[in-house]
Amino acid sequence: MSLLPKPRTEKAADRPLGHNVEATMAISPKEEAIEYIEGIHNKNWNGDMAYARFYSMSKKSYKHLRTIDINRTLALIRRVGKNTHLSRKPTPTSNTLLQMTNVYEASIRAGIVPDQYTYQELIAINTDLMNFDRAHTLLEEMVQRGVKLTIRPYRTLLKGYSMVASEIDNARRLWQSIKAKISSNTIATAKSTDQTIKLDLLTYTCIVAAECNEGDFARVMDILEEMDGAGIAADIVLRNTVLGGIIKHRGLDSGIKEVKLMVDSGFIPDSYTYYLLIQSAVSEGRIDDMKRLLAESAKRGITPSVKLIRKLQLSPQEILDTVTRNGVGIDMVRVYNPLIGLTMRENSFNEALGLIGHMRAHKIEPNTVTYSYLLDALSKSKRLNEAKAIYKEAFGPNSKLVPDAHILGIMIDACARAGDIHGLFWHKKEMEHCGLAPTEVIYNIILSALSRWQQGNLEAIILTMDELMEANPPIQPSTRTLNAVYAAFAAKAARAGWLEPNELQCLRMWYKKSHSVDLYIPRDMYTYTLVIEAFASSNYLEDALFVYSDMLNHGENDASVLRNFTRSPKCMSKLILACVKNQQYTKVLELWGDWRQLGIPGHEESLRMVLFACDQLGRSTSARNIVFGLLTPQSPNAGVNEVGATAKSKSGRAHLDITDDSDALKVEPGEDDSLAHGYQPDIVSGAVLALFIGIAIKHRMVDCIMPALNLWHPKTTLVSRPMLSIADAGGSQTTSQSDKQRLSSDDVAQILALLQKDKSQEASVIISDFLTFVEDNFPEAAPV
């Protein structure tokens, strides 16, 4: 099998990313829009992919999209579309709202007219996140735009209000508004073909929930009578809603009376009815009632839910005895399994085994779910040997049970956590023997394990990715999949300092292919950092800079992709080092300018490389601006002519202007001082200072040496120069770095040697001043 993932025939992968003809080949905005429409409607895209593709398009392409395309994009981002990868609706986040808002606003700017489904998606996400004011504003916007009004967005907002007691007034106003709009035939149900409709059961349930949450049961009775008059029969969901409110405000006894009324009215209590009652008994500490209600529910053939079992303040044996004595037609395995799961969560492995023995003693055979609880807990506690023993016992040759994909996934994960690569692939092979196809999640586990435990063995990574792409049915890699791959490449490059030619080709190819028409995988903050580190550490500068540029462009629309890069100087430092190795000194200074704009923490080693670049380019004034910018505190009155102040040049850029009666030093107008960072004296060490002094001597700038020393260690000058204090809310804060900045004897000897090479009169004066400075501030480093 080839070491390279498919496709393997592209020669473009042998060239740096910036030379990729396919990547730079322009397509028209209309063609770009058509590709996007095909992807969101006919391909297995999730919300992240849809959003990433949407914002990768040019703004001119948006006008070729239709309202239905925007609605599909919003639905995918909320992960409620038909192609969602999740089995249930995920919890909404503020990032989800931000993405949906960005798509909506971009569509409005492009002239795309929103419809009722557009607003439904936006109202739903805002309601989920309890942004009720925004949801209400969107409702009003629907009316203003003349969009067809249906009851669905109103009911969505009403349901949101019903969950928050403090929103009862808004719920009541909205309820009256809904009734008024129905009476005036201005609102319809989503399925109605005319405007003559009535309130439905779901909407009534929402307002009942709001009143129950408030505890106003007189209004609840009025609403129920109104429903009865309208010919709308209550269901068990609505009666359980009323029951929940009664229990919340009046306690368990009132709840029990309400259940009797429900039964008398022909309703059969369900599992949620007993969940509410037993939960109330637990919260009131009524153990006997808890047991009685559990027994009563068992007589009705109701298996206690996992959620309920976790709340019961009973021992596993008490739960089993109660359900066994009273249960009718209950699948006892479903009772044992959550109990075993609870004991394993408490790390009570022997108790869990005891429960399995109890099952068998009562002729109840454990199933795969039983063992999944055991194996999952052992996996997460890194008890691999015990997990293997349980697996062998449960699914060995003499067992009737056959492991399913979940069980084998747990075992693969257990091996991955423990670094057992052989066991990992053994269980993967076992999955294939059982006729089960590994999923994207399984490949993610394998790739992450290889990246972590087999650092340097990129061959295994590439083979695994090759297998993933050849899978039938096809498997769509995710961002996590590729990040695991990129992490392995970054680790190999950082440790070895190079990548093999085929490894480099693979890295280039996967980065390009991840944003192709056929395979589009969103990039996140880890993607960019890992790929930049991989290219920079292996000294492929052009590729690293291309990815860096991609990241900045992406960051203009989504600032989150910059977060990992900017929180640490590590990645930018590697990029600057690669520039130095390739003698790209101008690029070093450009990156240093970006350093400030991105807000990356200071880094001494990178500062030394930047000063070295200034020296190689002959830009001594830039070196001076950088050092003085880092050492000069900002005055509260920036803009006036004083120490630490800034003055504007004709070009509009700020220039450092350090003035002193004895040490005059002004930056030449027009000199680019965008490289001067803010006050960060901690990264200017004695070694950095010595480097700067060497540059100053080399480029005939000896007059700035003593001002730099006084800024670097201002202990002897602060008294006469109060402008070097920074005012805060409580007064002033001294900026002295005397406790942090130290000159060693080696630093002093190095600086003296540099000064003595300069035979000028100015240098002789500087030597004398420097020795005085050392004796006053660092007597232990003074030469004998």
Side-chain angles (χ1 to χ4, degrees), residues 271 278 294 297-298 302-309 312 319 323 330 334-335 338:
S271 60
I278 295 173
L294 181 63
S297 67
I302 297 174
T303 302
S305 66
V306 175
K307 187 177 181 180
L308 177 60
I309 287 175
L312 292 175
I319 295 173
V323 176
I330 291 179
R334 293 175 58 192
V335 181

Side-chain angles (χ1 to χ4, degrees), residues 123 133 135-145 154:
I123 290 169
D133 290 343
H136 192 268
T137 300
L138 288 165
L139 270 177
E140 294 177 342
E141 189 177 308
M142 281 183 67
V143 176
Q144 293 171 0
R145 286 183 176 272
Y154 286 89

Side-chain angles (χ1 to χ4, degrees), residues 274 288-304 314 317-332 335:
Y274 281 102
D288 291 339
D289 285 320
M290 185 195 314
K291 292 180 180 179
R292 180 181 59 79
L293 289 166
L294 181 63
E296 185 180 315
S297 67
K299 287 179 182 179
R300 291 184 178 276
I302 297 174
T303 302
L314 301 172
Q317 192 61 53
E318 288 178 304
I319 295 173
L320 290 171
D321 290 344
T322 301
V323 176
T324 302
R325 283 197 308 267
N326 300 282
V328 177
I330 291 179
D331 183 0
M332 289 302 296
V335 181

Side-chain angles (χ1 to χ4, degrees), residues 277 396 491 557 616 676 713:
L277 293 171
N557 294 321
Q616 295 300 303
H713 190 85

